[in-house]
Structures are given as structure tokens and as C-alpha cells.
Amino acid sequence: MYTNAQKLSAPETQELRREAGKLLKYLREKAGHSQRTFSAEIGSPVYTFVSQVETGRGRVPPDQIRVWANAYGIEAREFLLMIMRFYDPETFSVLFESEPEIFTGAAFPELSVTDVAVPAADAVEAPVQGLRLVASPDA
């Protein structure tokens, strides 16, 4: 039986989840939602699930990518490309290492959230005023 090689208890995994959470919180706030209104928008019966995902204790369920993207007001593919680097970094690397704009995150201004460490990216000035993309120390 296959299981995801990304161990939930590994410090690297926990850090990636926290970084994803920062991005998700930014996207939610940019879309004008509180955790409660966002929870209602995605059809979650409890708003604490959104909190858990934003603090890295959970992840966006794969079958909910389109729902969450819609609630953020962005295309599902763009949303998946943004979060895949955090949730499945090995697959992301294999798929996109030859596409620098995607691989470094330069194609997604939303990744320029203050202090979100983007794996495998050099520090790049972001197009959003006052925000900066930061390379993770392990990149």
C-alpha cells in the first residue's frame, strides 16, 4: 500500500504547512473573508477547520481545491500551483523545475506574502508593494 512520503510529524513538513497557512490566510483576507465567512463559503460546518489549515495543523483537502480557489476568487489551477509546492514539494519539483516562472513562484504575486518561505526559490522582489518572497533556508 502506498502512503505519502511526506511524514506529518517531520519538522520540514510542519514548516511547509505553516508556510502554506500564511499564504492561505493572506488569500482569505484579500478576498475579504473572516474565518467564519470563508468557512461558510467553502461549505465547512465549523470555522475552526479554516483556522487549523491556516496554522499548519491541516491542509486543503485535495477534493476541495476548486471550492477553496473559488472562495478566494482565483482559478483552481493557479491555486493548486501555488499550494502544491508546500503540500507535495517533491512532485512539484519534478513537474516544474524546468519552468522557472512557476518553480520560483514568480508567476504568482500572491506568493509574495510577507515572510512566506517559498521552497527552492531565491529571494525575489515581489510586485506587491512592501511584500517580499523569501527563499527557505533548505532551498
Side-chain angles (χ1 to χ4, degrees):
M1 178 173 145
Y2 175 79
T3 60
N4 189 337
Q6 192 181 33
K7 296 187 187 297
L8 296 178
S9 61
E12 299 84 15
T13 301
Q14 292 174 2
E15 182 59 28
L16 285 170
R17 294 268 177 102
R18 282 190 292 274
E19 295 302 321
K22 289 178 189 177
L23 172 64
L24 298 172
K25 179 179 179 182
Y26 170 79
L27 291 173
R28 174 182 55 77
E29 290 175 344
K30 182 179 174 189
H33 287 291
S34 67
Q35 287 182 346
R36 288 182 191 271
T37 63
F38 188 79
S39 181
E41 185 75 20
I42 63 171
S44 177
V46 290
Y47 77 92
T48 55
F49 177 66
V50 174
S51 174
Q52 290 171 347
V53 172
E54 289 182 357
T55 56
R57 293 181 309 231
R59 62 172 281 168
V60 176
D63 64 339
Q64 294 288 303
I65 297 294
R66 291 179 196 278
V67 173
W68 285 59
N70 188 52
Y72 291 133
I74 58 179
E75 295 293 321
R77 182 177 189 278
E78 180 180 3
F79 177 56
L80 181 59
L81 288 172
M82 282 192 277
I83 65 170
M84 186 180 191
R85 70 183 66 245
F86 301 106
Y87 289 159
D88 195 350
E90 185 59 31
T91 302
F92 180 83
S93 179
V94 170
L95 288 173
F96 301 111
E97 64 191 355
S98 65
E99 298 182 47
E101 289 290 306
I102 293 174
F103 191 70
T104 64
F108 310 105
E110 291 83 356
L111 286 176
S112 58
V113 178
T114 302
D115 296 330
V116 170
V118 177
D122 293 329
V124 177
E125 289 301 317
V128 180
Q129 182 180 2
L131 300 179
R132 183 173 157 74
L133 208 90
V134 180
S136 73
D138 297 329

